[in-house]
Amino acid sequence: MKIRTDIVKMYKEIHGWVGIVSGLALFIAFFAGAITMFEEPLQRWASPPSALAGPTPLDRTDELVEKVLAQHPEASRGYEIHLATGPEQPARLTWTVRGQGEHPALQTYYAALEQDGSLQVVEQGPSPVADFVDILHQQVGLPFEHEISMPIMGAIALLYAIAIVSGIFVLLPSLVKDLFALRVGKNAKRMWLDLHNVLGLLSLPFHLVMALTAVVFAFHDQFYDAKTLAFKPDSGRPAMEASAAPPARQDRLPVLELVERIDDQTPGFTLRSLTFMQSPEGEEVVRVSGTDPRYGLRAPTYGMAEADPFTGQLTELDYMPGMQDGWGATVTSFFALHFGNFGGPGIRWTYFLLGIAGAFLFYTGNLLWVESRRKRERRGGAVQQTRATKVLGALTVGVPLGCIAGIAVTVAAAKPLGLHASEAIHSAIYYAVFLAFTGFALMRGAPRAAMELLPVTAAAVLLIPLATLVTLGDHPAQIVWVDIMAISAAGAFWLAWRKVARRAREGGRDSIWSIKPSGQAANGSVERVV
């Protein structure tokens, strides 16, 4: 395909600048997003044994509900019955209330019946580390309030889409010739470029889906506000909670009978939980959550519907997999394509690998851009690297390694912290490590920081299996493959450290990855930038 050289050059400039602006944030989003593909197993790995008595038998759930509502009437605003329990969800019944103060946090309570029939309620539940990693993914690593971070994420997603389109135009002229070329040799820049092109082109559909769906998520509320104004001008978005709890009706179906009636209406759908709450009109409704491997799901790990708790009849099917209308199925498809929650474990592993490859794509893009900038500076007569080039190179090392090490350390901390863990603690651990890595890289420069931080990153990842070993007595290992993957990742970082150290010593002195002084070679000739 023949495209004018000036057009290719223009798109190359757009691709480079847009990529360097958004690349580091996208690395965090993709790396953390890859981990969230196994959010539930990670939560199971991290969650300590519960202080609760064992999950209340399902046939005694109505007794449990009665005692909770009698002693904790605030739970009548909304409580959830879990049909599937485990370390990540140890209680049969939970409810959430908003705390007091200027910035009230949500507090979740877990309830069970002890052997003598008395009610037991605790506030400490599953580890929040998996939720924290998910928030890190959603907010592209930004430590701000969700309402502030999401529009910024949306802007980054738009830049991401521009980078994809411009990258296609840059690659088209050499598409056939260079598609599967991976030239490994002395010209390291060419090798990284080939790898970047192969990763980008082969995962192009995945990246298009991620860019478009991320924009939808970032401006979700604005889209729905516009839809409401266009089609329902006299109605606003209803509040999720009623201002006061109406008297509970006494003729609600027993839980077992309610489950049976819902099961009869939803063949192939596996119920996971029932959430009893109030509609905007003050009527009691039950939200049904579960999975169906035949369809994409509205939430990351479940689909949902609403039912009448007094008859068991399904009343709202907009988000029910396999029972939606055209509009509902279309909206759900955006969520399912982003979450990768269709097709079973094979799709989840594919999304995990594509997420890791995507993070690596943004790293290689930044690496190439910074190296090309240094090459242009050298041709312009700049013997020493400019401050901007040094800073960009350092950030290209510090941000990715800080993200990986920060996640590894905060995940490893989940087990020894046990019931004392909180999302605030995990956030503090992550950002302390992340900022330390980034600051160290800025002080030491790209080549020395890479040589010194890679082994530290490997050690940080090894803290995960170490945490499993240290806590075996109080926290039996259940998800061993989390530790196996951590050990594998540590081995990969050790190999990367060997390669980086060799290039820093033996590569061309004008490369930003060289520890040799910039300038001329011993014979007076200018060394070639690789």
Side-chain angles (χ1 to χ4, degrees), residues 111-147:
L113 293 177
E114 300 197 64
Q115 289 186 351
D116 60 0
S118 60
L119 179 66
Q120 182 187 16
V121 175
V122 300
E123 189 176 348
Q124 291 82 12
S127 171
V129 69
D131 290 333
F132 169 72
V133 175
D134 187 30
I135 291 172
L136 201 67
H137 157 66
Q138 294 177 32
Q139 300 184 177
V140 294
L142 296 172
F144 309 132
E145 294 292 332
H146 198 66
E147 294 75 13

Side-chain angles (χ1 to χ4, degrees), residues 24 66 87 98 100 117 194 223 307 373 375 400 417 471 474 476:
L24 295 177
E66 182 179 351
R98 191 169 292 279
Q100 305 297 320
D194 288 341
F223 289 152
R373 179 186 175 94
K375 187 175 181 179
L417 283 173
T471 59
D474 300 323

Side-chain angles (χ1 to χ4, degrees), residues 437-511:
F437 269 58
T438 305
F440 184 85
L442 289 171
M443 287 190 298
R444 295 290 287 164
R448 287 183 174 82
M451 287 192 298
E452 293 161 1
L453 290 179
L454 273 168
V456 178
T457 304
V461 175
L462 285 176
L463 289 176
I464 294 175
L466 179 61
T468 297
L469 291 174
V470 170
T471 59
L472 272 179
D474 300 323
H475 193 161
Q478 295 185 349
I479 311 295
V480 180
W481 63 263
V482 173
D483 303 300
I484 294 173
M485 291 183 67
I487 294 171
S488 302
F493 288 122
W494 180 76
L495 290 175
W497 169 72
R498 292 187 60 187
K499 296 284 186 182
V500 166
R502 184 165 64 246
R503 179 164 188 199
R505 292 190 299 266
E506 300 174 3
R509 70 179 69 232
D510 276 321
S511 170

Side-chain angles (χ1 to χ4, degrees), residues 261-437:
R261 293 195 183 188
I262 294 172
D263 277 338
D264 290 341
Q265 301 171 69
T266 57
F269 184 78
T270 302
L271 280 173
R272 293 177 52 178
S273 67
L274 304 174
T275 304
F276 293 85
M277 54 189 181
Q278 298 163 24
S279 71
E281 294 76 25
E283 298 179 354
E284 188 175 357
V285 297
V286 58
R287 187 181 67 195
V288 177
S289 301
T291 60
D292 191 332
R294 300 170 299 173
Y295 304 99
L297 306 175
R298 178 63 165 76
T301 57
Y302 59 86
M304 48 194 163
E306 283 188 7
D308 187 328
F310 309 103
T311 66
Q313 185 66 37
L314 294 178
T315 57
E316 179 62 63
L317 302 173
D318 283 355
Y319 301 141
M320 185 66 176
M323 303 178 72
Q324 300 167 289
D325 58 18
W327 170 256
T330 301
V331 172
T332 295
S333 68
F334 279 93
F335 289 82
L337 285 170
H338 189 91
F339 296 141
N341 57 23
F342 57 94
I347 293 295
R348 286 203 170 270
W349 276 104
T350 300
Y351 266 56
F352 171 79
L353 294 174
L354 286 170
I356 296 296
F360 197 65
L361 177 72
F362 301 121
Y363 168 75
T364 57
N366 273 39
L367 185 152
L368 289 165
W369 192 92
V370 174
E371 195 69 88
S372 295
R373 179 186 175 94
R374 172 56 188 155
K375 187 175 181 179
R376 289 195 299 270
E377 291 172 353
R378 192 67 184 88
R379 286 174 177 171
V383 175
Q384 299 295 325
Q385 296 178 26
T386 64
R387 179 179 298 178
T389 301
K390 290 181 180 179
V391 169
L392 289 171
L395 290 176
T396 299
V397 171
V399 170
L401 293 183
C403 168
I404 295 168
I407 290 177
V409 172
T410 200
V411 167
K415 282 198 171 186
L417 283 173
L419 295 176
H420 302 288
S422 68
E423 194 170 299
I425 291 175
H426 283 295
S427 177
I429 293 172
Y430 168 81
Y431 284 110
V433 174
F434 175 81
L435 292 175
F437 269 58

